[in-house]
Amino acid sequence: MNKLQIKSISVVIMLVLLSGCFHSNVLERTSISVAVGYDKIGEGKIQTSSVLYGATSKEGKESSQVITVEGETSKGARLNLNQKLGYKVVSGQIRFIAYEGELARDGILSIVDTLSRDPSYGDMMYLAVTEKPIRDILAYKYPNISNVGNYLTRLIAHNIEDSWVPSCTLHDFRNDFYSAGKEAVLPIVERTNNEVNVTALALFQKDVMVGKIEPEQAVYIKLLLDREQPESLEVKMQKDGMAKYVKNVHHPFETIKTALGNLGSKSSIKLISKDELQFDIHIRMNVELQEISEDYDFTEKGAVQQLETELSKQMSIDLLNALNQLKRLKSDAVGFGEVYRSSVRNSRLTKDRWQDMFPKAKFNTKVTVNLIRTGTIE
Amino acid sequence: MDVRIKPRPNKRIQSFALLFIICNVQIGIGVFGFQRYVAREAGHDAWISVLLAGLVCHFSGWMILRVLRRYESADLYGIHQDLFGRWIGGALSIVLILYYVIVTVTILRTYIEAVQSWIFPEFPTWLLAVVLLFLSWYAGISGLRVIAGVSFMGFLVIFAFSMLYYNPIQYGQWNRLLPIAEASPYQLFNGAVAMGFTLSGFEIVFFLYPYLKDKEKSQKYMQLSMLLTNALYLFIMIVTTIFFSQDQLLRSVWSSINMLKIVKYPFLERIEVLAMGVWMFAVVPGIIILTWVISRGMRRLFNFEHKKVLIIFSIGVFVVSLVFHNRQQIDMLNNLISKMSLIISFVYPIILNIAVAVVWSWRQRQANKGEGGSQHEQTSN
């Protein structure tokens, strides 16, 4: 054999021997976890519930299995998990993590950091909070949901995309936690009988949950965060100036309710006075009317303009209320602190300082609604 | 040892290859986590520091080629001997070789550390070290042309993967860059200093220069190569700054890999694992070029046989890299090497320029004084 042959043979041998699987995880021989929930039980003890893929039935329907263990730390609980399972638990497919409210009120940073420290977890899994023990949600036998872990992931994902839930991935949470002028928000998930739903947003101070905000107000926070957009929102207005455009009044009414489809919005937050901490908040929205509670006459002159003005007026009040709710709870979920930090030179802003300053902030809100169309009818 | 070397034409490479080689030596492993070192000094103005360091880098590159042009076809080992004489020059060359040995160990060990942290926690250090060193030995005995080829591969990998950073931009908040230039000049300077080791590596042109076919184009390709490197670093630094919040960045050891964690395709959910593996293509060229530089040096200084040096060197690096067990030690190694690289890549070219100017003008004067000046110069060589 000449030199070249030896060389090429050795290269082939290298390729064959060294490309082998160093550490294989056979799919059938692993317990794949898809969702995890943490409950607080007693002082310093954590109960971990993990939703695993169950065996697929003959009809091809996926099933799930829920295992609950206790431990001093979240990682310790996971080690205990292995004692209850035939196969090793793998965590690369976890998409949903929930914390019980009790735990969230004590602070969840250590658990969040554990997740981030381990490269086998993705950064894009969703975090959520529950008011009742998370075990009740995960271990409940739902007649219509085959794998509650996957279901919850989809629930959160589409609510982020289309509805009022702001993005709540692990990355977002850590990003907010470590920034000086913004606090994290996580959705609150509840079970009512045979359904699970997202009910509100949990507001945080650092890693401690301090309160919640209802969907009607949360939608404004989402509008200000400016990444995904809510698809629609409801506005309830006083009839005042609009009464004259309403035809066929069959019953006395005080308010007009509308449902608007969001065709695209832009928001801007400006710091106009750094000493008085005054912020100008302006949202510009293109909307289409999807529903209106009264028989509103759009053909009449000025009717559309009037509706736009009333909508703008009402929405800027609602926006202000949402922001005041944040101020009351001292949780800057929108990130006014970041605006402050980026517009004031040498502010040396820290999280603690901003927490003291934020309640003193003043907001001037303005919403400009642009009614593009009223659906397919007038 | 001759000061000037004339490699055979079939061993030479085109100046064009500098574009890949220099880029690759510079980028290698440092791009994984340089951001937090700069951000620790300069905060959200880190990108200005990167820009400054990049400019200094261009200047240093220009200085290096200025020295090399004077000698027409010499490498640094020869220049050392010419300027400082056999003993002092030789000692300097040995220091330089030792430096490159440590750099090789650092690159190797840092990459293995990253692989162990991200993909295979139980992966034995020695196995990956053997694989990488086998590659470097193989390329080392095959000569500069193979090295240039491997560098081209690494170059492609680096720039293909930098496209992935489009995704983190979408999650970025641009106001994190504001207010611009909040950091004091001193902080910016410190940030630029922190870029030292990340940017160093371009000085290997000191050893490649005699092997270039078209030397007059070397300046052009070298500056172009450094421009690409600087553009990439600047881009990644800006993306990192807008993507991470300040404290979050300081906490992540491999920020560049962390950013890839959010990239998701339906067929490939965890691209950072792939990136880690493929990045070997970007790390290997760095190791093999340094291996080549070291074995050249041993041959030039002591007339050792190329192949033997390669084997001894590989075993040596292998043993040394096993000494480092944990993150602290590897960090310590990185800190040590970053100070040295500052001196060798950025300060030393200036010193050399001065030395060349002094020695050459002194020789000129000697030549003018005595009538047999040319003979004097001959002996002083």
Side-chain angles (χ1 to χ4, degrees):
Chain A
M1 272 199 290
N2 63 19
K3 232 177 168 181
L4 189 76
Q5 269 174 323
I6 294 176
K7 242 186 220 170
S8 45
I9 286 172
S10 65
V11 166
V12 170
I13 288 175
M14 286 273 290
L15 281 177
V16 173
L17 291 182
L18 293 175
S19 64
C21 305
F22 170 71
H23 193 110
S24 59
N25 284 324
V26 180
L27 211 55
E28 285 79 16
R29 287 185 217 139
T30 45
S31 304
I32 300 171
S33 181
V34 289
V36 178
Y38 297 100
D39 283 318
K40 186 182 171 187
I41 44 161
E43 269 316 299
K45 274 232 163 191
I46 293 172
Q47 184 185 51
T48 306
S49 313
S50 190
V51 184
L52 308 161
Y53 271 123
T56 311
S57 66
K58 276 189 185 131
E59 299 87 59
K61 211 177 154 198
E62 55 175 359
S63 66
S64 66
Q65 180 190 3
V66 178
I67 303 265
T68 309
V69 287
E70 290 162 19
E72 300 269 322
T73 59
S74 62
K75 202 79 186 175
R78 223 186 97 196
L79 294 177
N80 295 339
L81 204 62
N82 276 319
Q83 294 167 4
K84 288 200 178 182
L85 287 166
Y87 296 121
K88 194 181 80 176
V89 186
V90 291
S91 43
Q93 284 294 319
I94 296 177
R95 311 278 171 88
F96 179 83
I97 305 256
Y99 304 92
E100 192 205 359
E102 287 279 304
L103 202 60
R105 285 191 185 88
D106 287 352
I108 53 176
L109 182 71
S110 65
I111 305 177
V112 171
D113 257 4
T114 312
L115 300 175
S116 210
R117 206 176 290 281
D118 187 342
S120 65
Y121 293 97
D123 251 9
M124 297 308 277
M125 54 190 186
Y126 299 118
L127 305 185
V129 175
T130 61
E131 284 291 358
K132 297 186 197 93
I134 177 79
R135 197 174 182 281
D136 289 351
I137 297 179
L138 296 183
Y140 185 79
K141 290 270 174 251
Y142 298 91
N144 300 326
I145 302 170
S146 55
N147 186 329
V148 69
N150 285 344
Y151 184 83
L152 282 167
T153 311
R154 289 197 297 269
L155 177 76
I156 302 277
H158 97 87
N159 271 299
I160 288 175
E161 224 162 89
D162 312 322
S163 190
W164 51 270
V165 180
S167 181
C168 58
T169 60
L170 176 61
H171 167 72
D172 291 310
F173 187 86
R174 294 190 73 237
N175 207 333
D176 293 342
F177 176 80
Y178 286 118
S179 73
K182 187 177 181 315
E183 302 287 355
V185 278
L186 295 181
I188 297 178
V189 179
E190 293 299 341
R191 176 176 73 81
T192 38
N193 298 327
N194 288 334
E195 291 168 342
V196 279
N197 42 19
V198 195
T199 55
L201 277 189
L203 296 174
F204 282 79
Q205 249 175 35
K206 291 185 182 168
D207 63 330
V208 180
M209 177 179 159
V210 287
K212 54 185 184 177
I213 190 165
E214 297 303 318
E216 298 79 50
Q217 300 188 315
V219 76
Y220 289 99
I221 294 175
K222 173 126 174 171
L223 278 174
L224 288 177
L225 287 175
D226 235 1
R227 200 153 79 205
E228 296 92 1
Q229 305 254 316
E231 216 157 63
S232 60
L233 68 167
E234 280 177 76
V235 186
K236 201 164 127 185
M237 295 165 288
Q238 295 298 315
K239 68 175 177 182
D240 295 350
M242 292 187 290
K244 61 178 175 179
Y245 299 112
V246 178
K247 299 184 294 189
N248 308 327
V249 186
H250 302 301
H251 54 95
F253 63 97
E254 285 299 311
T255 54
I256 293 181
K257 286 164 240 157
T258 54
L260 306 173
N262 180 9
L263 300 177
S265 74
K266 276 219 156 59
S267 69
S268 73
I269 302 172
K270 278 197 194 86
L271 179 70
I272 48 168
S273 156
K274 71 171 180 178
D275 300 317
E276 290 170 37
L277 271 183
Q278 253 190 14
F279 291 95
D280 257 357
I281 300 128
H282 190 184
I283 300 181
R284 269 175 236 98
M285 271 182 99
N286 289 334
V287 299
E288 66 172 355
L289 191 74
Q290 289 175 336
E291 192 181 327
I292 186 157
S293 62
E294 301 299 330
D295 191 0
Y296 197 81
D297 187 10
F298 288 101
T299 45
E300 208 157 315
K301 207 176 162 211
V304 175
Q305 280 78 2
Q306 183 65 26
L307 184 61
E308 276 179 353
T309 344
E310 291 291 328
L311 278 171
S312 304
K313 208 164 79 190
Q314 186 59 43
M315 282 172 74
S316 76
I317 294 171
D318 290 347
L319 174 61
L320 190 63
N321 286 339
L323 296 179
N324 283 335
Q325 169 78 357
L326 294 184
K327 224 161 73 170
R328 219 171 6 255
L329 292 166
K330 294 188 188 172
S331 169
D332 181 7
V334 174
F336 291 103
E338 279 301 305
V339 176
Y340 178 83
R341 188 201 57 73
S342 60
S343 22
V344 178
R345 229 158 234 286
N346 298 317
S347 56
R348 305 255 174 275
L349 196 69
T350 60
K351 206 146 185 129
D352 290 320
R353 265 191 62 204
W354 183 244
Q355 240 164 49
D356 297 337
M357 287 162 73
F358 179 60
K360 294 178 204 128
K362 293 187 190 70
F363 304 119
N364 309 323
T365 56
K366 189 180 170 196
V367 180
T368 313
V369 176
N370 193 5
L371 196 64
I372 300 271
R373 55 178 168 260
T374 57
T376 49
I377 54 166
E378 272 202 328
Chain B
M1 177 171 78
D2 296 328
V3 171
R4 290 174 182 79
I5 42 176
K6 295 263 183 305
R8 271 177 277 140
N10 66 347
K11 293 217 163 166
R12 294 188 183 186
I13 53 170
Q14 286 185 326
S15 291
F16 181 58
L18 280 183
L19 192 65
F20 316 124
I21 297 177
I22 295 198
C23 219
N24 228 305
V25 182
Q26 280 191 288
I27 291 170
I29 191 77
V31 73
F32 278 172
F34 71 98
Q35 300 98 319
R36 69 169 178 158
Y37 298 103
V38 189
R40 196 162 57 193
E41 305 293 343
H44 60 264
D45 288 322
W47 64 275
I48 302 178
S49 291
V50 173
L51 204 64
L52 283 177
L55 290 177
V56 175
C57 182
H58 281 287
F59 174 72
S60 282
W62 177 74
M63 289 290 245
I64 289 172
L65 283 178
R66 228 174 83 102
V67 173
L68 287 167
R69 285 229 169 123
R70 286 234 182 166
Y71 282 91
E72 281 157 19
S73 186
D75 59 3
L76 190 58
Y77 300 123
I79 295 175
H80 272 158
Q81 183 175 326
D82 180 53
L83 289 180
F84 306 114
R86 192 183 164 131
W87 293 107
I88 300 176
L92 282 174
S93 296
I94 290 171
V95 169
L96 212 62
I97 288 175
L98 280 177
Y99 165 74
Y100 282 124
V101 171
I102 303 174
V103 172
T104 315
V105 172
T106 312
I107 296 177
L108 192 69
R109 199 59 193 83
T110 312
Y111 179 68
I112 294 174
E113 228 266 293
V115 169
Q116 285 170 337
S117 307
W118 281 93
I119 319 178
F120 303 119
E122 303 113 79
F123 202 83
T125 307
W126 64 267
L127 186 56
L128 199 49
V130 164
V131 174
L132 290 174
L133 286 171
F134 175 80
L135 283 176
S136 82
W137 167 79
Y138 172 71
I141 56 169
S142 318
L144 203 54
R145 289 191 162 188
V146 168
I147 292 175
V150 177
S151 297
F152 178 66
M153 293 281 291
F155 182 82
L156 288 185
V157 166
I158 289 170
F159 282 90
F161 266 84
S162 52
M163 301 293 160
L164 286 176
Y165 287 96
Y166 169 71
N167 286 283
I169 293 180
Q170 292 169 321
Y171 285 81
Q173 289 166 22
W174 288 95
N175 73 358
R176 293 224 166 101
L177 288 173
L178 296 172
I180 289 171
E182 199 182 26
S184 67
Y186 180 67
Q187 286 170 320
L188 288 179
F189 172 76
N190 276 341
V193 167
M195 282 294 290
F197 183 41
T198 317
L199 279 174
S200 75
F202 56 86
E203 77 281 356
I204 51 130
V205 78
F206 265 136
F207 309 98
L208 297 176
Y209 192 74
Y211 290 86
L212 297 179
K213 257 184 210 157
D214 37 1
K215 295 193 172 52
E216 67 284 352
K217 284 187 191 155
S218 59
Q219 183 77 275
K220 181 172 109 192
Y221 285 117
M222 174 150 175
Q223 298 290 347
L224 200 60
S225 179
M226 289 193 294
L227 188 68
L228 280 176
T229 310
N230 290 331
L232 184 72
Y233 278 140
L234 186 63
F235 170 67
I236 288 185
M237 190 72 235
I238 291 176
V239 175
T240 311
T241 314
I242 64 170
F243 181 77
F244 289 107
S245 49
Q246 196 69 51
D247 285 356
Q248 193 187 10
L249 172 59
L250 297 182
R251 264 158 208 273
S252 44
V253 183
W254 292 279
S255 339
S256 301
I257 301 291
N258 261 324
M259 283 195 287
L260 292 182
K261 272 180 102 173
I262 61 146
V263 184
K264 216 173 184 182
Y265 295 110
F267 54 92
L268 189 66
E269 290 198 349
R270 305 293 293 281
I271 205 149
E272 77 268 18
V273 175
L274 186 75
M276 208 63 186
V278 175
W279 206 258
M280 197 189 271
F281 277 111
V283 172
V284 163
I287 297 176
I288 61 177
I289 294 166
L290 295 181
T291 314
W292 181 84
V293 166
I294 292 161
S295 71
R296 275 306 308 160
M298 298 302 268
R299 183 165 171 72
R300 295 267 281 146
L301 288 175
F302 308 111
N303 249 331
F304 283 157
E305 205 185 322
H306 197 57
K307 282 179 190 170
K308 277 184 193 152
V309 172
L310 275 176
I311 288 179
I312 295 167
F313 163 78
S314 296
I315 294 171
V317 168
F318 176 70
V319 172
V320 176
S321 60
L322 291 188
V323 172
F324 299 94
H325 285 298
N326 54 33
R327 173 88 44 81
Q328 277 80 31
Q329 290 169 337
I330 294 166
D331 257 1
M332 201 188 69
L333 188 68
N334 271 299
N335 288 339
L336 174 84
I337 209 77
S338 61
K339 288 192 187 93
M340 285 165 72
S341 64
L342 265 185
I343 296 171
I344 288 177
S345 301
F346 297 96
V347 182
Y348 196 52
I350 301 175
I351 298 175
L352 268 182
N353 258 289
I354 297 167
V356 166
V358 170
V359 172
W360 282 52
S361 69
W362 183 73
R363 275 183 203 152
Q364 193 77 44
R365 213 173 300 157
Q366 293 286 310
N368 290 347
K369 260 188 212 165
E371 285 175 2
S374 57
Q375 273 169 339
H376 272 291
E377 199 182 349
Q378 211 68 52
T379 46
S380 74
N381 270 352

